[in-house]
Amino acid sequence: MRLSLAEGAVGVSAIAACIAACHEGFMKLHPRHGWAVTPRDAVVLQQDLRGEIDTSRPLSLPDVRLIAGVDVSIKNGLSRAAVVVTSLPDFAVIETVLATRPTPFPYVPGLLSFREGPVLEEAFSKLGTEPDVFIFDGMGIAHPRRIGIASHMGLWLEKPTIGCGKTLLVGRFEALGLKKGAAAPLVDKGETIGVALRTRERVSPVFISPGHRIDLASAVAVTLAATTRFRLPEPIRLAHAAAGTL
């Protein structure tokens, strides 16, 4: 059974009550490999998996009713993942799941998914709802090997995923307007891999890229719909708060 916001019939409180009463984990995951790898092995895995990433599928914004924010906090060798499922457009919190475990992988630029993937896999397995789309605090295909954490974990989820990076990892972009919604293509080696998107007037842009099972235009539309008066989309803000400081 899929739990969703049925038009005019099922309210947020009813969904939350059902989750509380019968939470056993709902999301079916599709793991592709184990996590006990070296940095060299990790790069090989990225190169092997990048061809499976699908960034061609449009996602109709009116069909998006549940949107999940994904974030991980790491401190003193421990990682805590938070996935917060909210309704759209009101951002009522439908479900929050947490997972904590030892951090298994060193910090290596471009290999974030191997550092955060294990704890995210555990958190995703606890979800009692099935979000329509996930927004990650991290990159999608705006990545040197075109498989950032939103793309990599998108293969686990087989759901639309979006990368929302706060800092530029790879690529260049031209100047963009100062108004909210202004965007400029993010280009690397002649390939458009995302956009620099201004989500708040006169505030630094975020870097949006499709993760998996969504195209760039849809990723931008979902991000703007999920952004209120802050720079970061509301589901990511909620996930960041839930992950907290260890």
Side-chain angles (χ1 to χ4, degrees), residues 3-221:
L3 298 175
S4 63
L5 290 177
E7 293 181 355
V10 180
V12 170
S13 59
I15 294 175
C18 180
I19 292 168
C22 58
H23 188 289
E24 296 178 354
F26 183 89
M27 286 295 301
K28 180 180 179 181
L29 301 181
H30 308 269
R32 307 302 306 279
H33 58 74
W35 296 108
V37 298
T38 65
R40 179 176 296 181
D41 293 335
V43 170
V44 172
L45 281 169
Q46 287 181 331
Q47 292 168 336
D48 288 344
L49 292 173
R50 61 182 288 181
E52 299 182 33
I53 301 301
D54 180 1
T55 58
S56 65
R57 302 189 189 193
L59 179 64
S60 173
L61 190 57
D63 293 336
V64 178
R65 300 185 179 182
L66 295 180
I67 181 168
V70 182
D71 194 17
V72 176
S73 174
I74 297 177
K75 186 176 180 180
N76 296 330
L78 286 178
S79 298
R80 177 184 292 156
V83 183
V84 178
V85 182
T86 71
S87 57
L88 194 68
D90 59 353
F91 304 113
V93 174
I94 306 300
E95 181 182 15
T96 298
V97 296
L98 301 172
T100 303
R101 62 188 301 164
T103 305
F105 199 85
Y107 174 74
V108 180
L111 298 179
L112 182 65
S113 55
F114 293 89
R115 186 170 169 84
E116 299 184 356
V119 73
L120 283 174
E121 183 176 320
E122 181 177 338
F124 291 140
S125 71
K126 296 179 179 180
L127 278 172
T129 51
E130 184 181 5
D132 298 302
V133 61
F134 294 77
I135 303 184
F136 285 71
D137 185 351
M139 297 299 183
I141 65 166
H143 179 277
R145 288 172 291 279
R146 308 298 186 257
I147 184 167
I149 191 163
S151 299
H152 200 146
M153 299 313 297
L155 293 173
W156 263 240
L157 295 163
E158 288 299 348
K159 297 287 293 182
T161 59
I162 298 168
C164 178
K166 298 187 290 290
T167 58
L168 184 64
L169 178 62
V170 66
R172 297 174 179 242
F173 62 98
E174 302 294 333
L176 60 157
L178 297 178
K179 297 288 188 181
K180 178 178 178 177
L186 182 61
V187 179
D188 182 51
K189 299 178 182 178
E191 179 184 359
T192 298
I193 56 174
V195 299
L197 178 67
R198 202 172 307 279
T199 52
R200 185 179 179 188
E201 187 172 346
R202 298 180 181 274
V203 171
S204 298
V206 293
F207 301 97
I208 302 300
S209 57
H212 183 48
R213 287 197 167 196
I214 193 170
D215 64 13
L216 178 56
S218 301
V220 170

